[in-house]
Amino acid sequence: INPSSVTITASEVGVMTTLTDLARNSAPRNVAGDIGKLFGEALARKQDADLTALFDGFSSVIGDGTGAISSASIFQALSTLRENALNIDGCAVVLHPKIAYDLKAGLTNTFANANANDLSNEALRSGFVGRLAGMPVFETSNIANTGNAGDYKGGAFHRDALAIAMMEDVKIETQRDASLRADEIVATSVYGVGETITRSELDYQTNKGMYDFRGFKVASDDVKENIKEVVTENVVPLKKKRKTRKKKDEQVDLETN
């Protein structure tokens, strides 16, 4: 095995606003609570955007941005993942809603796809693709535009491909400013993101060849199926050892005349 390491640099992100006493007292709602909710959602969107920005670093690219995505593109991505011996159970597809629309439009187009199936019906009923090529399809708007209108890069990857290192979760603090008759509300978080699977095809083939040479071959992912039955022939059974109880010394009283 050729182990490798990935360095993830954590940095601080934050957002701040000033809530005046006049705004707090004149509002019918809990303004401070609403601000805290907005700040938490803003930092979560920032984390998602940082993770999806890593799609540009993937080693395999499907499509050139000139045509609409189709189900064939998803199956082509699946073949690339399986080529690298990745477990399909841990893989997923993430698309921008605009790109997911093109995928659903192709699935539900009765002229292009006259034979409607369960996947097409599910997209028509719920508006979501669900699973395609054995992978769940997720939609997020936290994907930056590549520069051309309507072009958003998606990704099909294993769950171990991307990582987020949380040094400090979302923290919200307040500070009173008496001169302004207001409170400063500050939300911060310290984290870093990175791509963790950088194994090349050459490294995979090298490791696989070493495992095959040593005879380590997994026949199935099911542990029970990999356990072989023990052959009992030429095995001498051991007789059960009998335990003997020792008599305790008994004291005898002798009477004398």
Side-chain angles (χ1 to χ4, degrees):
I1 300 176
N2 299 323
S4 60
S5 62
V6 175
T7 301
I8 297 179
T9 303
S11 59
E12 185 179 39
V13 297
V15 60
M16 187 198 78
T17 191
T18 301
L19 176 61
T20 64
D21 293 345
L22 180 62
R24 185 202 308 270
N25 297 331
S26 60
R29 295 175 53 87
N30 183 1
V31 182
D34 293 341
I35 292 176
K37 179 181 178 181
L38 291 174
F39 281 4
E41 293 175 350
L43 292 179
R45 289 176 62 89
K46 171 63 175 172
Q47 293 175 5
D48 287 347
D50 290 343
L51 285 169
T52 57
L54 298 176
F55 290 170
D56 281 335
F58 287 175
S59 57
S60 300
V61 179
I62 297 175
D64 55 3
T66 59
I69 191 174
S70 64
S71 57
S73 304
I74 306 300
F75 280 95
Q76 185 178 356
L78 172 65
S79 66
T80 303
L81 295 174
R82 284 183 169 173
E83 183 182 12
N84 287 273
L86 292 174
N87 189 354
I88 194 61
D89 292 337
C91 296
V93 178
V94 178
L95 302 173
H96 189 275
K98 292 292 186 181
I99 306 301
Y101 163 77
D102 293 335
L103 179 61
K104 287 178 282 189
L107 290 173
T108 58
N109 188 346
T110 57
F111 294 99
N113 182 18
N115 299 321
N117 50 38
D118 292 338
L119 187 61
S120 302
N121 294 332
E122 180 64 25
L124 287 171
R125 281 193 303 264
S126 63
F128 296 97
V129 176
R131 298 183 70 90
L132 182 59
M135 298 181 292
V137 179
F138 299 99
E139 299 179 27
T140 177
S141 59
N142 300 321
I143 299 179
N145 193 293
T146 58
N148 299 325
D151 288 347
Y152 301 90
K153 291 184 179 180
F157 52 93
H158 191 271
R159 61 190 175 192
D160 294 336
L162 303 179
I164 179 170
M166 296 294 300
M167 181 176 292
E168 186 177 86
D169 206 349
V170 177
K171 180 177 62 176
I172 299 179
E173 298 177 293
T174 60
Q175 179 175 321
R176 181 65 181 174
D177 191 337
S179 62
L180 291 178
R181 284 87 61 200
D183 292 320
E184 293 181 351
I185 303 177
V186 182
T188 58
S189 179
V190 182
Y191 68 91
V193 298
E195 185 179 354
T196 57
I197 296 181
T198 58
R199 179 180 56 177
S200 64
E201 179 66 19
L202 178 61
D203 290 338
Y204 164 71
Q205 294 296 341
T206 302
N207 293 334
K208 184 176 182 299
M210 183 60 65
Y211 274 105
D212 294 341
F213 175 77
R214 295 186 177 183
F216 297 103
K217 295 182 179 180
V218 179
S220 172
D221 292 334
D222 190 349
V223 178
K224 294 182 179 180
E225 293 181 5
N226 291 328
I227 298 177
K228 297 182 179 179
E229 184 179 357
V230 178
V231 180
T232 58
E233 63 179 5
N234 299 328
V235 176
V236 179
L238 298 177
K239 294 183 179 180
K240 186 177 181 181
K241 186 178 180 181
R242 296 182 61 185
K243 294 182 180 180
T244 58
R245 294 182 61 185
K246 294 182 179 180
K247 295 183 178 180
K248 295 182 180 180
D249 296 337
E250 297 180 356
Q251 183 178 356
V252 178
D253 295 334
L254 301 177
E255 295 182 359
T256 56
N257 293 328

